[in-house]
Amino acid sequence: VASTPTGAGPWVLTSDGVVHAENRATDHGDVDLGVLDPGEAVASLSVLPDGSGYWVFTDRGRAIEFGAAADLEDLVDLGVAPALQGAIVDSAATASGQGAFMVAADGGVFAIGAAMFAGSMGGQPLAGPDGGVATDTGGEGYWLVANDGGSFAFEADFQGAMGGQPLNAPMVGAVAFGDGYLMVAADGGIFNFSDQQFLGSLGDDPPANPVSAVAGFPT
């Protein structure tokens, strides 16, 4: 899920490759699953900062562009996909909209387009698989969030984490928010590590189905 720059509507990616443009979000297109390799699945959606396009990323590191999003040389193009140690689970566009970061379940980070690699947790022991990536406001650094609530900062200011704290459900996503980030757990709990106001969560009233992502916009 990703929000429009004004918060007037979200885009929601579903496992069938359809991008649902809600409210005043612009529909830029859907993924034809027929172009994917056998067993390959869509994994995440990242939107250009101005909302004029987006990429859909697959679990093998393929980037499929829509609208004004550039055609980026991805992990399939580079021949890296077969060597992945973990499936791609999340992505984030740079502030310029000219590149993107992908993160794998093992904490590996892959920078494509104009995105600059600043480090990763690939090859490092993690208490739980990685659940998300968020870019800082400058778009040069980023944070990784693990399922156990751990957070790792690369060329970005560390803002806090839930690692080592008891969680009712694992973390499943993260998004840039203010000068930091929001984490979301599968039960809908929101954890705010930013200068923005906490607006509430579903942690005390979990939905029937697990939450899988979070989107934010300036308040």
Side-chain angles (χ1 to χ4, degrees), residues 130-151:
D130 198 274
V133 59
T135 54
D136 66 2
T137 53
E140 300 299 328
Y142 45 85
W143 300 279
L144 304 184
V145 173
N147 285 175
D148 71 335
S151 177

mmCIF file of all heavy atoms in Angstrom, residues 130-151:
data_model
loop_
_atom_site.group_PDB
_atom_site.id
_atom_site.type_symbol
_atom_site.label_atom_id
_atom_site.label_comp_id
_atom_site.label_asym_id
_atom_site.label_seq_id
_atom_site.Cartn_x
_atom_site.Cartn_y
_atom_site.Cartn_z
ATOM 1 N N ASP A 130 13.790 -9.790 7.761
ATOM 2 C CA ASP A 130 13.507 -8.377 7.531
ATOM 3 C C ASP A 130 12.077 -8.216 7.046
ATOM 4 O O ASP A 130 11.554 -9.038 6.296
ATOM 5 C CB ASP A 130 14.475 -7.813 6.497
ATOM 6 C CG ASP A 130 14.520 -6.300 6.541
ATOM 7 O OD1 ASP A 130 13.678 -5.659 5.890
ATOM 8 O OD2 ASP A 130 15.374 -5.769 7.259
ATOM 9 N N GLY A 131 11.450 -7.104 7.486
ATOM 10 C CA GLY A 131 10.065 -6.885 7.122
ATOM 11 C C GLY A 131 9.811 -5.666 6.277
ATOM 12 O O GLY A 131 8.736 -5.531 5.695
ATOM 13 N N GLY A 132 10.791 -4.724 6.193
ATOM 14 C CA GLY A 132 10.520 -3.525 5.430
ATOM 15 C C GLY A 132 11.706 -2.605 5.321
ATOM 16 O O GLY A 132 12.724 -2.763 6.010
ATOM 17 N N VAL A 133 11.587 -1.601 4.439
ATOM 18 C CA VAL A 133 12.598 -0.577 4.243
ATOM 19 C C VAL A 133 11.892 0.759 4.075
ATOM 20 O O VAL A 133 10.806 0.836 3.486
ATOM 21 C CB VAL A 133 13.475 -0.892 3.014
ATOM 22 C CG1 VAL A 133 12.643 -0.985 1.737
ATOM 23 C CG2 VAL A 133 14.586 0.138 2.851
ATOM 24 N N ALA A 134 12.491 1.808 4.621
ATOM 25 C CA ALA A 134 11.965 3.163 4.472
ATOM 26 C C ALA A 134 13.128 4.101 4.210
ATOM 27 O O ALA A 134 14.206 3.942 4.808
ATOM 28 C CB ALA A 134 11.215 3.596 5.736
ATOM 29 N N THR A 135 12.958 5.063 3.318
ATOM 30 C CA THR A 135 14.014 6.028 3.010
ATOM 31 C C THR A 135 13.827 7.292 3.828
ATOM 32 O O THR A 135 12.705 7.688 4.144
ATOM 33 C CB THR A 135 14.002 6.391 1.516
ATOM 34 O OG1 THR A 135 12.692 6.834 1.139
ATOM 35 C CG2 THR A 135 14.386 5.193 0.667
ATOM 36 N N ASP A 136 14.950 7.952 4.172
ATOM 37 C CA ASP A 136 14.854 9.207 4.904
ATOM 38 C C ASP A 136 14.407 10.315 3.958
ATOM 39 O O ASP A 136 14.296 10.118 2.748
ATOM 40 C CB ASP A 136 16.169 9.542 5.603
ATOM 41 C CG ASP A 136 17.308 9.842 4.636
ATOM 42 O OD1 ASP A 136 17.082 9.834 3.408
ATOM 43 O OD2 ASP A 136 18.427 10.077 5.113
ATOM 44 N N THR A 137 14.152 11.506 4.517
ATOM 45 C CA THR A 137 13.590 12.591 3.707
ATOM 46 C C THR A 137 14.536 13.041 2.610
ATOM 47 O O THR A 137 14.101 13.525 1.572
ATOM 48 C CB THR A 137 13.225 13.789 4.598
ATOM 49 O OG1 THR A 137 14.370 14.156 5.385
ATOM 50 C CG2 THR A 137 12.070 13.450 5.522
ATOM 51 N N GLY A 138 15.848 12.893 2.818
ATOM 52 C CA GLY A 138 16.797 13.266 1.787
ATOM 53 C C GLY A 138 16.920 12.231 0.697
ATOM 54 O O GLY A 138 17.450 12.498 -0.385
ATOM 55 N N GLY A 139 16.444 11.022 0.967
ATOM 56 C CA GLY A 139 16.459 9.966 -0.020
ATOM 57 C C GLY A 139 17.797 9.301 -0.200
ATOM 58 O O GLY A 139 17.956 8.431 -1.060
ATOM 59 N N GLU A 140 18.814 9.678 0.603
ATOM 60 C CA GLU A 140 20.133 9.070 0.466
ATOM 61 C C GLU A 140 20.326 7.911 1.433
ATOM 62 O O GLU A 140 21.110 7.004 1.181
ATOM 63 C CB GLU A 140 21.214 10.133 0.704
ATOM 64 C CG GLU A 140 21.167 11.300 -0.265
ATOM 65 C CD GLU A 140 21.371 10.864 -1.710
ATOM 66 O OE1 GLU A 140 22.103 9.886 -1.929
ATOM 67 O OE2 GLU A 140 20.796 11.501 -2.605
ATOM 68 N N GLY A 141 19.674 7.979 2.582
ATOM 69 C CA GLY A 141 19.790 6.929 3.578
ATOM 70 C C GLY A 141 18.498 6.168 3.734
ATOM 71 O O GLY A 141 17.459 6.529 3.163
ATOM 72 N N TYR A 142 18.561 5.095 4.539
ATOM 73 C CA TYR A 142 17.366 4.286 4.720
ATOM 74 C C TYR A 142 17.454 3.502 6.022
ATOM 75 O O TYR A 142 18.508 3.375 6.645
ATOM 76 C CB TYR A 142 17.174 3.327 3.535
ATOM 77 C CG TYR A 142 18.419 2.585 3.082
ATOM 78 C CD1 TYR A 142 18.821 1.390 3.690
ATOM 79 C CD2 TYR A 142 19.194 3.085 2.042
ATOM 80 C CE1 TYR A 142 19.960 0.713 3.263
ATOM 81 C CE2 TYR A 142 20.340 2.417 1.605
ATOM 82 C CZ TYR A 142 20.711 1.233 2.221
ATOM 83 O OH TYR A 142 21.840 0.573 1.804
ATOM 84 N N TRP A 143 16.284 3.019 6.420
ATOM 85 C CA TRP A 143 16.157 2.179 7.604
ATOM 86 C C TRP A 143 15.589 0.821 7.191
ATOM 87 O O TRP A 143 14.707 0.739 6.332
ATOM 88 C CB TRP A 143 15.200 2.802 8.618
ATOM 89 C CG TRP A 143 15.599 4.143 9.124
ATOM 90 C CD1 TRP A 143 16.502 4.432 10.111
ATOM 91 C CD2 TRP A 143 15.074 5.416 8.705
ATOM 92 N NE1 TRP A 143 16.580 5.787 10.319
ATOM 93 C CE2 TRP A 143 15.718 6.411 9.479
ATOM 94 C CE3 TRP A 143 14.133 5.805 7.755
ATOM 95 C CZ2 TRP A 143 15.442 7.775 9.322
ATOM 96 C CZ3 TRP A 143 13.850 7.149 7.590
ATOM 97 C CH2 TRP A 143 14.504 8.116 8.375
ATOM 98 N N LEU A 144 16.084 -0.228 7.828
ATOM 99 C CA LEU A 144 15.508 -1.564 7.677
ATOM 100 C C LEU A 144 14.804 -1.923 8.972
ATOM 101 O O LEU A 144 15.275 -1.588 10.065
ATOM 102 C CB LEU A 144 16.584 -2.603 7.387
ATOM 103 C CG LEU A 144 17.485 -2.376 6.175
ATOM 104 C CD1 LEU A 144 18.421 -3.574 5.999
ATOM 105 C CD2 LEU A 144 16.681 -2.134 4.924
ATOM 106 N N VAL A 145 13.703 -2.612 8.863
ATOM 107 C CA VAL A 145 12.934 -3.057 10.024
ATOM 108 C C VAL A 145 12.768 -4.561 9.949
ATOM 109 O O VAL A 145 12.334 -5.093 8.929
ATOM 110 C CB VAL A 145 11.563 -2.365 10.079
ATOM 111 C CG1 VAL A 145 10.703 -2.955 11.186
ATOM 112 C CG2 VAL A 145 11.738 -0.865 10.287
ATOM 113 N N ALA A 146 13.118 -5.244 11.033
ATOM 114 C CA ALA A 146 13.005 -6.704 11.096
ATOM 115 C C ALA A 146 11.704 -7.108 11.771
ATOM 116 O O ALA A 146 11.070 -6.310 12.473
ATOM 117 C CB ALA A 146 14.192 -7.290 11.847
ATOM 118 N N ASN A 147 11.316 -8.346 11.573
ATOM 119 C CA ASN A 147 10.048 -8.844 12.115
ATOM 120 C C ASN A 147 9.972 -8.759 13.633
ATOM 121 O O ASN A 147 8.890 -8.675 14.210
ATOM 122 C CB ASN A 147 9.805 -10.285 11.680
ATOM 123 C CG ASN A 147 9.370 -10.418 10.236
ATOM 124 O OD1 ASN A 147 9.235 -11.515 9.727
ATOM 125 N ND2 ASN A 147 9.146 -9.308 9.536
ATOM 126 N N ASP A 148 11.143 -8.799 14.315
ATOM 127 C CA ASP A 148 11.141 -8.724 15.778
ATOM 128 C C ASP A 148 11.123 -7.290 16.291
ATOM 129 O O ASP A 148 11.191 -7.062 17.492
ATOM 130 C CB ASP A 148 12.352 -9.462 16.347
ATOM 131 C CG ASP A 148 13.658 -8.738 16.076
ATOM 132 O OD1 ASP A 148 13.733 -7.957 15.096
ATOM 133 O OD2 ASP A 148 14.624 -8.952 16.839
ATOM 134 N N GLY A 149 11.035 -6.290 15.369
ATOM 135 C CA GLY A 149 11.002 -4.890 15.761
ATOM 136 C C GLY A 149 12.341 -4.208 15.756
ATOM 137 O O GLY A 149 12.434 -3.014 16.047
ATOM 138 N N GLY A 150 13.404 -4.941 15.430
ATOM 139 C CA GLY A 150 14.719 -4.324 15.319
ATOM 140 C C GLY A 150 14.768 -3.360 14.147
ATOM 141 O O GLY A 150 14.104 -3.569 13.130
ATOM 142 N N SER A 151 15.544 -2.273 14.299
ATOM 143 C CA SER A 151 15.695 -1.290 13.235
ATOM 144 C C SER A 151 17.180 -1.040 13.001
ATOM 145 O O SER A 151 17.963 -0.983 13.951
ATOM 146 C CB SER A 151 14.993 0.018 13.609
ATOM 147 O OG SER A 151 15.196 1.007 12.620
#
